[in-house]
Amino acid sequence: MKQVCSSVFLFLGFLFLFLSVEAQTCRPSGRIEGQNPPPGQCNQENDSDCCKDGKWYSTYTCSPPVSTKTKATLTLNSFEAGGDGGGPSECDNEYHSDDDPVVALSTGWFNHKKRCLKYINIYGNGKSVRAKVVDECDSTMGCDSDHDYQPPCPNNIVDASKAVWKALEVPESDWGDMDIYWSDTD
């Protein structure tokens, strides 16, 4: 009986350890201090935020775990030259039309370019759309010229072109951010 109890406690201990590791969330990896951008240097198209002097912003090297139904926040971004997305896309060094369903993923989900030019399914507003991953929404850096003087991206963002929002049939007055789910395509 003593050995059975020991085995049960050992099993429960391993189960607790496994569940506590699984329950851990992606925690900030650091912080950067914002500075006001030089005049005219932060593109606020699509209601993008600009860094603020003295404000601290969390950075992340990870994102929440990916599943068949990964919860995320859909945001609006322009991937065109001169748009609020900044420079050309990380995956192909090209700009992309806002009429194409393309996205940028937070750093952890971008996964060192492993999702570059692959497709994901996005589910929101009772609809779904297939979109191509073309860029990273950088969660590790920001508030500089390379990042259009915008803060680091949160760790749970799918930053999408206008085409994605249209395909999800979200009224234009509601574009900006929305809770969605996404998954890798087969």
Side-chain angles (χ1 to χ4, degrees):
M1 179 69 170
K2 191 175 184 181
Q3 187 174 8
V4 170
C5 286
S6 294
S7 296
V8 168
F9 282 118
L10 185 61
F11 172 76
L12 290 174
F14 280 121
L15 181 62
F16 175 77
L17 181 63
F18 174 77
L19 291 175
S20 66
V21 168
E22 283 294 304
Q24 288 180 354
T25 58
C26 172
R27 302 200 187 281
S29 56
R31 298 184 327 154
I32 60 171
E33 186 175 8
Q35 298 177 25
N36 289 332
Q41 294 297 305
C42 181
N43 186 333
Q44 291 187 283
E45 178 184 8
N46 300 320
D47 295 324
S48 294
D49 290 330
C50 296
C51 293
K52 299 196 180 352
D53 198 35
K55 183 174 179 181
W56 288 91
Y57 298 93
S58 294
T59 59
Y60 295 87
T61 56
C62 58
S63 290
V66 174
S67 68
T68 56
K69 195 175 181 184
T70 306
K71 188 174 181 178
T73 299
L74 187 71
T75 55
L76 179 60
N77 186 50
S78 175
F79 294 85
E80 294 183 350
D84 65 331
S89 297
E90 184 77 17
C91 292
D92 57 8
N93 203 34
E94 300 284 333
Y95 291 100
H96 296 269
S97 170
D98 290 336
D99 295 327
D100 293 335
V102 294
V103 298
L105 298 177
S106 294
T107 296
W109 290 336
F110 189 66
N111 197 12
H112 306 285
K113 294 187 176 184
K114 289 185 179 145
R115 285 196 169 85
C116 266
L117 306 179
K118 294 183 179 176
Y119 287 86
I120 64 170
N121 293 315
I122 300 169
Y123 309 94
N125 196 40
K127 308 285 181 201
S128 68
V129 62
R130 187 171 176 253
K132 186 191 299 187
V133 177
V134 296
D135 208 353
E136 174 182 14
C137 191
D138 198 337
S139 305
T140 65
M141 300 186 325
C143 298
D144 56 17
S145 61
D146 287 347
H147 298 90
D148 204 25
Y149 295 98
Q150 295 173 11
C153 193
N155 67 344
N156 65 337
I157 298 296
V158 175
D159 207 13
S161 65
K162 291 176 182 180
V164 170
W165 288 86
K166 287 177 184 175
L168 294 175
E169 297 182 16
V170 177
E172 197 166 335
S173 59
D174 293 336
W175 290 6
D177 63 73
M178 179 175 81
D179 291 338
I180 53 116
Y181 292 97
W182 72 272
S183 65
D184 289 308
T185 60
D186 296 328

